[in-house]
């Protein structure tokens, strides 16, 4: 890997072959793969073959592009954060996934998987959700395409995200409360996968992030690549250098970050994923297996996966997608953490400087940029692209309590 400099900062140049097709085994270095019960092996094989066929079909790609334009509202804009930039001494650009239909990036992936499910002859979508954004997107796509939807959600998250639960039900989805374990995203994912085992012939499991058994991490990344590809073109048009110095996104499982990074991994931009301090799989995890894939997970001394914590339900996951683990191993992306208090302060600061109330997930990325600019970790004058993955409507009750 070669390097260039911005100010006193040394930035890596791109490494060839990174974020490529992981092949039939679904391996990103030592991570990824498929660790599922025997009944799901054939189901995963079928999804992999169907996606490969669909992704090579110009008609499928055109249908997806039309829906993303007409129903989702793509392309989303690249918004300069003028006032916050002036305060921080950097040039901050926001990729506005909060302006996509349903209020987050999740709809990009779900529309693609719902089209695939219809192509495969499935009549029902199964999904897990934490913050509720993936559940809302799944319910929306199901209604649009005439499918049924069953969404598994931790009971604790249902309490925190009551408006999104109501939205799912208005859209016609069945929302199943999960009362086991921590009653959050990890447990919802486990329950959704167990349910899928018994209904593989009629239902399609619509995974919400770059997690799960192959082909899901690769497939979700490719469906979210639209974020990075759009942003890459927008930066080329807007920036004198054509490429930002830093590309920053929040990371739970990591789908918005994976989609964003895919557009810039072949450039000199430094990639930064921002995790919750209590759910830092990439920053602090160890290699393990959960939910059908091998990656980095929070674990105790006996190798048992431990519970995660985040003020943002969408980041309340004890691991990270396998491709993020691989990017960390390569040194191509860096993964950092922020605390809950920093997140709340960042959400308020963005609201009061730019008139944008971000989702608490997205506010993690904003919090790191604020901290890094103040400490000098971000060189003065650096150009920073930040993916604002969702809007904060769903988190207003949490902010009201805390503020």
């Amino acid at each position: 890997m070669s390097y260039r400099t911005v100010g006193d900062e040394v930035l890596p140049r791109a490494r060839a072959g990174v974020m490529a097709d992981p092949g039939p085994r679904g391996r990103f270095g030592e991570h990824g793969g498929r660790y599922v019960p025997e009944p799901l092996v054939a189901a995963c094989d079928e999804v992999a073959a169907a996606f490969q066929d669909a992704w090579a079909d110009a008609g499928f790609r055109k249908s997806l592009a039309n829906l993303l334009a007409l129903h989702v509202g793509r392309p989303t804009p690249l918004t300069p954060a003028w006032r916050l930039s002036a305060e921080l001494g950097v040039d901050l650009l926001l990729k506005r996934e909060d302006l996509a239909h349903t209020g987050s990036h999740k709809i990009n992936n779900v529309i693609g998987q719902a089209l695939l499910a219809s192509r495969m002859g499935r009549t029902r979508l199964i999904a897990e959700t934490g913050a509720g954004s993936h559940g809302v997107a799944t319910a929306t796509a199901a209604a649009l395409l005439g499918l049924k939807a069953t969404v598994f959600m931790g009971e604790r998250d249902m309490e925190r995200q009551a408006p999104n639960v109501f939205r799912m039900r208005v859209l016609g989805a069945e929302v199943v409360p999960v009362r086991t374990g921590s009653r959050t995203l990890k447990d919802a994912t486990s329950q959704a996968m167990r349910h899928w085992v018994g209904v593989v012939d009629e239902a399609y499991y619509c995974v919400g992030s770059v997690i799960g058994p192959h082909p899901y991490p690769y497939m979700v990344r490719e469906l979210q690549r639209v974020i990075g590809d759009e942003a890459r073109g927008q930066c080329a048009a807007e920036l004198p250098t054509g490429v930002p110095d830093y590309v920053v996104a929040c990371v739970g499982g990591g789908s918005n970050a994976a989609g964003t990074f895919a557009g810039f991994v072949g450039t000199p931009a430094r990639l930064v994923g921002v995790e919750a301090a209590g759910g830092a799989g990439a920053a602090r995890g160890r290699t393990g297996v959960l939910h059908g894939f091998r990656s980095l997970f929070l674990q105790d001394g006996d190798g048992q996966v431990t519970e995660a914590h985040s003020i943002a339900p969408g980041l309340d996951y004890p691991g990270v997608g396998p491709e993020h683990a691989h990017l960390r191993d390569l040194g191509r992306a860096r993964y950092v953490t922020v605390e809950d208090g920093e997140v709340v302060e960042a959400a308020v600061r963005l609201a009061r400087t730019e008139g944008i109330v971000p989702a608490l997930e997205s506010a993690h990325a904003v919090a790191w940029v604020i901290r890094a600019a103040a400490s000098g970790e971000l060189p003065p004058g650096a150009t920073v692209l930040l993916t604002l993955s969702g809007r904060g409507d769903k988190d207003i009750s949490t902010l009201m309590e805390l503020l």
Side-chain angles (χ1 to χ4, degrees), residues 246-299:
Y246 292 81
V247 175
V248 184
C250 67
V251 174
S255 63
N256 91 93
T260 303
F261 291 175
F264 292 91
V265 72
T267 76
R270 182 178 290 277
L271 309 179
V272 181
V274 186
E275 299 181 286
R284 299 172 185 162
R286 292 186 290 129
T287 302
V289 174
L290 181 69
H291 296 148
F293 68 104
R294 177 184 173 97
S295 189
L296 298 171
F297 298 96
L298 300 178
Q299 299 173 57

Side-chain angles (χ1 to χ4, degrees), residues 138-218:
T138 300
T140 298
L144 179 65
L145 298 179
L147 304 171
K148 296 178 181 179
T150 302
V151 180
F152 292 86
M153 189 171 189
E155 191 175 51
R156 181 170 172 237
D157 289 337
M158 291 180 70
E159 295 167 358
R160 293 194 286 180
Q161 300 294 322
N164 272 347
V165 175
F166 180 73
R167 290 171 72 191
M168 285 182 260
R169 288 173 171 158
V170 167
L171 289 160
E174 176 191 13
V175 183
V176 180
V178 177
R179 299 184 172 93
T180 56
S182 62
R183 299 174 297 139
T184 57
L185 180 58
K186 177 176 75 72
D187 309 290
T189 304
S190 298
Q191 188 63 34
M193 293 191 74
R194 282 193 291 269
H195 179 73
W196 187 31
V197 171
V199 294
V200 292
D201 291 334
E202 57 96 7
Y204 175 95
Y205 183 22
C206 186
V207 175
S209 192
V210 285
I211 63 171
H214 178 67
Y216 285 102
Y218 165 64

